[in-house]
Amino acid sequence: MQDDARHPAVLVTGRQELEAAAAAELPVELEASKALDRKAVATLLVQHLSNSWGLRTAEFAVYLLLVTLFPDTLLPASIYGFVTTGVAIILSGWAGRLVDEHHNLSVVRTSIVIIKLAACAQYAAILALLYTSGHAQGPARPWSTPLTSGMFTVIVVGGCIHNIAGTTISVAVERDWVTTIAGGSSDHLTTLNTYMRRIDLFCKLVAPLFVSLLTSAASYRFAAIFLCGVEGACMSFELFWITVSYRRFPTSREAQAAREAARHDRSHNTQELPIEHASLPRVLVRRAYARLKEAALDWREFAQYPIFLSSLAISWLYLTVLSFDGTMMSYLKAHAYSDPFLAGMRGLNVVAGLAGTLAMPFLEKRLGLVRAGNWSIWSEVVCLLPVLVVLYVGAPSDGVRAPAWNAALLFGGMMLSRIGLWAFDLCQLKELQLALAAHPRRNSLTALQYSMQNVADMLKYVLTMALSKPSQFKYAALASFISVIVGASTYLMYVKKERGHVLHHSVGDLIPLLRKTN
């Protein structure tokens, strides 16, 4: 095997890797700590705000409108989630290779056009279903007529395209650009990750409230038309602004030039077999086989890194219905909760998530990055326990709202669990970035974590398709809670591998948050 980066003999542990990188790049980090351009960072954050707004709006609106169109079953929303997630599993690695193998700015600009057109197609199809249903809130059936089936297909296909284009932008901007801009500084990396996550959470807070305002003050039809227009306007803005943001960071352009030079050297040194006499099917088979072999080698290499356990841990958290996604929204709407109320509860959960992004830097300073992640993920487990309990004790029948104490434990436990979830998300993101910072194909390997997350997400939709009645939601919730425990236990394995132990032996080390800092 020619590439030493793929060979197991040259793989080092995550701790050794980070120590070697720190020793080699200490001067760079000291310089980077003084060189972060605030105005340039602001342009990046504005771009991320526009992109996240579109993603979070569609995330809430499409499921809300599907639940409105098909109010008696979770099946259409589950099919939508299953298919879109399945496509993301297959193509996430390809999206990462696009970022590695092509000019980042061109890839991002193309993805912006694709994602906006896909969202417009979804809103247009939903609008057609709303009109054919007879009135804005009338029920329809996903396969009742050819037109209904066709529009539902457009919604699903548009969601697949939307999902993979969003993954491509996320890998390019949130993973690759942010790591490059940080310039080897751990503090800058934490700061940039935190800013990006806060913007994402802000959009998760405001976008559902905005959509609910449109549906309540006007109608579902007006909301679909208006959101389609917003997507078109944002496409024009983002195509211009992403170029402005890219040009503000010389390090991004330098890193891109270095990658292109490295690709040119590899292509110059690579001897390819002549294929001019081969038939087209044979050429396609060869290329497909080469891609599959490359993907298999990437998976084998990634699995040998210690960070793989951390990635596997966060992936388990995606196999859950205990979040304000389309599945839980369908369950809650079946219990007579209004759209504004659900948007408000989702907003409170996002505020709790923002608190988690504030807690993460504090926890990292007091505990260290790895232990901060351990505390965070287990706090999520503890907070989700009462949520599971109230789904079995005192749970109302379908069409009836839960008693106040039951609702308080349900929504309160969900809200508190978001603090640990988002703090852990930031810890794991930084662990991944540091572990793969110097890897020549870091975007390809990063995309593999997206694939694992999408596998867990797809299993969630398999679960909800099998348990599609609102009365069966509690069984899906039990499976979700077990998945979160498995994720936390997997992270314990990562902690053991990185630190050599899970718990300290002295009382002072067991409660480090209570110790005074120097």
mmCIF file of all heavy atoms in Angstrom, residues 347-362:
data_model
loop_
_atom_site.group_PDB
_atom_site.id
_atom_site.type_symbol
_atom_site.label_atom_id
_atom_site.label_comp_id
_atom_site.label_asym_id
_atom_site.label_seq_id
_atom_site.Cartn_x
_atom_site.Cartn_y
_atom_site.Cartn_z
ATOM 1 N N GLY A 347 -38.687 26.264 21.244
ATOM 2 C CA GLY A 347 -37.837 27.426 21.508
ATOM 3 C C GLY A 347 -37.154 27.340 22.860
ATOM 4 O O GLY A 347 -35.967 27.661 22.990
ATOM 5 N N LEU A 348 -37.894 26.904 23.893
ATOM 6 C CA LEU A 348 -37.287 26.753 25.219
ATOM 7 C C LEU A 348 -36.186 25.699 25.201
ATOM 8 O O LEU A 348 -35.160 25.851 25.884
ATOM 9 C CB LEU A 348 -38.362 26.387 26.241
ATOM 10 C CG LEU A 348 -39.356 27.486 26.614
ATOM 11 C CD1 LEU A 348 -40.409 26.963 27.573
ATOM 12 C CD2 LEU A 348 -38.623 28.683 27.240
ATOM 13 N N ASN A 349 -36.400 24.648 24.437
ATOM 14 C CA ASN A 349 -35.361 23.624 24.315
ATOM 15 C C ASN A 349 -34.110 24.184 23.642
ATOM 16 O O ASN A 349 -32.987 23.829 24.001
ATOM 17 C CB ASN A 349 -35.894 22.427 23.533
ATOM 18 C CG ASN A 349 -36.670 21.456 24.400
ATOM 19 O OD1 ASN A 349 -36.180 20.400 24.771
ATOM 20 N ND2 ASN A 349 -37.893 21.816 24.733
ATOM 21 N N VAL A 350 -34.320 25.060 22.670
ATOM 22 C CA VAL A 350 -33.170 25.668 22.001
ATOM 23 C C VAL A 350 -32.431 26.615 22.945
ATOM 24 O O VAL A 350 -31.203 26.680 22.939
ATOM 25 C CB VAL A 350 -33.629 26.402 20.728
ATOM 26 C CG1 VAL A 350 -32.492 27.194 20.121
ATOM 27 C CG2 VAL A 350 -34.166 25.407 19.712
ATOM 28 N N VAL A 351 -33.177 27.353 23.776
ATOM 29 C CA VAL A 351 -32.538 28.219 24.768
ATOM 30 C C VAL A 351 -31.671 27.377 25.713
ATOM 31 O O VAL A 351 -30.547 27.768 26.065
ATOM 32 C CB VAL A 351 -33.596 29.014 25.556
ATOM 33 C CG1 VAL A 351 -32.964 29.730 26.743
ATOM 34 C CG2 VAL A 351 -34.296 30.020 24.654
ATOM 35 N N ALA A 352 -32.189 26.217 26.097
ATOM 36 C CA ALA A 352 -31.391 25.315 26.937
ATOM 37 C C ALA A 352 -30.151 24.841 26.187
ATOM 38 O O ALA A 352 -29.066 24.717 26.766
ATOM 39 C CB ALA A 352 -32.240 24.129 27.379
ATOM 40 N N GLY A 353 -30.302 24.591 24.886
ATOM 41 C CA GLY A 353 -29.138 24.217 24.085
ATOM 42 C C GLY A 353 -28.105 25.317 24.028
ATOM 43 O O GLY A 353 -26.890 25.060 24.078
ATOM 44 N N LEU A 354 -28.567 26.563 23.938
ATOM 45 C CA LEU A 354 -27.642 27.703 23.979
ATOM 46 C C LEU A 354 -26.896 27.742 25.308
ATOM 47 O O LEU A 354 -25.708 28.067 25.359
ATOM 48 C CB LEU A 354 -28.406 29.011 23.759
ATOM 49 C CG LEU A 354 -28.889 29.284 22.332
ATOM 50 C CD1 LEU A 354 -29.841 30.488 22.315
ATOM 51 C CD2 LEU A 354 -27.711 29.542 21.407
ATOM 52 N N ALA A 355 -27.610 27.405 26.394
ATOM 53 C CA ALA A 355 -26.937 27.329 27.700
ATOM 54 C C ALA A 355 -25.849 26.255 27.677
ATOM 55 O O ALA A 355 -24.790 26.407 28.300
ATOM 56 C CB ALA A 355 -27.956 27.038 28.795
ATOM 57 N N GLY A 356 -26.097 25.168 26.931
ATOM 58 C CA GLY A 356 -25.081 24.139 26.797
ATOM 59 C C GLY A 356 -23.837 24.633 26.086
ATOM 60 O O GLY A 356 -22.709 24.270 26.449
ATOM 61 N N THR A 357 -24.004 25.495 25.071
ATOM 62 C CA THR A 357 -22.831 26.060 24.381
ATOM 63 C C THR A 357 -22.065 27.015 25.278
ATOM 64 O O THR A 357 -20.857 27.203 25.106
ATOM 65 C CB THR A 357 -23.245 26.793 23.091
ATOM 66 O OG1 THR A 357 -24.023 27.964 23.414
ATOM 67 C CG2 THR A 357 -24.061 25.885 22.187
ATOM 68 N N LEU A 358 -22.770 27.636 26.225
ATOM 69 C CA LEU A 358 -22.080 28.491 27.199
ATOM 70 C C LEU A 358 -21.358 27.654 28.248
ATOM 71 O O LEU A 358 -20.287 28.037 28.734
ATOM 72 C CB LEU A 358 -23.095 29.415 27.886
ATOM 73 C CG LEU A 358 -23.774 30.470 27.016
ATOM 74 C CD1 LEU A 358 -24.879 31.173 27.800
ATOM 75 C CD2 LEU A 358 -22.769 31.494 26.510
ATOM 76 N N ALA A 359 -21.935 26.506 28.581
ATOM 77 C CA ALA A 359 -21.331 25.645 29.616
ATOM 78 C C ALA A 359 -20.096 24.926 29.100
ATOM 79 O O ALA A 359 -19.165 24.655 29.870
ATOM 80 C CB ALA A 359 -22.369 24.630 30.110
ATOM 81 N N MET A 360 -20.050 24.615 27.804
ATOM 82 C CA MET A 360 -18.963 23.791 27.283
ATOM 83 C C MET A 360 -17.578 24.399 27.512
ATOM 84 O O MET A 360 -16.680 23.710 28.012
ATOM 85 C CB MET A 360 -19.203 23.497 25.799
ATOM 86 C CG MET A 360 -18.132 22.616 25.166
ATOM 87 S SD MET A 360 -16.781 23.601 24.477
ATOM 88 C CE MET A 360 -15.679 22.353 23.869
ATOM 89 N N PRO A 361 -17.330 25.687 27.168
ATOM 90 C CA PRO A 361 -15.985 26.229 27.429
ATOM 91 C C PRO A 361 -15.601 26.200 28.906
ATOM 92 O O PRO A 361 -14.447 25.938 29.249
ATOM 93 C CB PRO A 361 -16.083 27.671 26.908
ATOM 94 C CG PRO A 361 -17.198 27.649 25.915
ATOM 95 C CD PRO A 361 -18.175 26.670 26.458
ATOM 96 N N PHE A 362 -16.586 26.447 29.794
ATOM 97 C CA PHE A 362 -16.319 26.393 31.232
ATOM 98 C C PHE A 362 -15.944 24.973 31.660
ATOM 99 O O PHE A 362 -14.972 24.761 32.403
ATOM 100 C CB PHE A 362 -17.560 26.869 31.996
ATOM 101 C CG PHE A 362 -17.499 26.623 33.473
ATOM 102 C CD1 PHE A 362 -16.714 27.423 34.293
ATOM 103 C CD2 PHE A 362 -18.230 25.592 34.046
ATOM 104 C CE1 PHE A 362 -16.650 27.187 35.660
ATOM 105 C CE2 PHE A 362 -18.182 25.350 35.411
ATOM 106 C CZ PHE A 362 -17.383 26.158 36.220
#
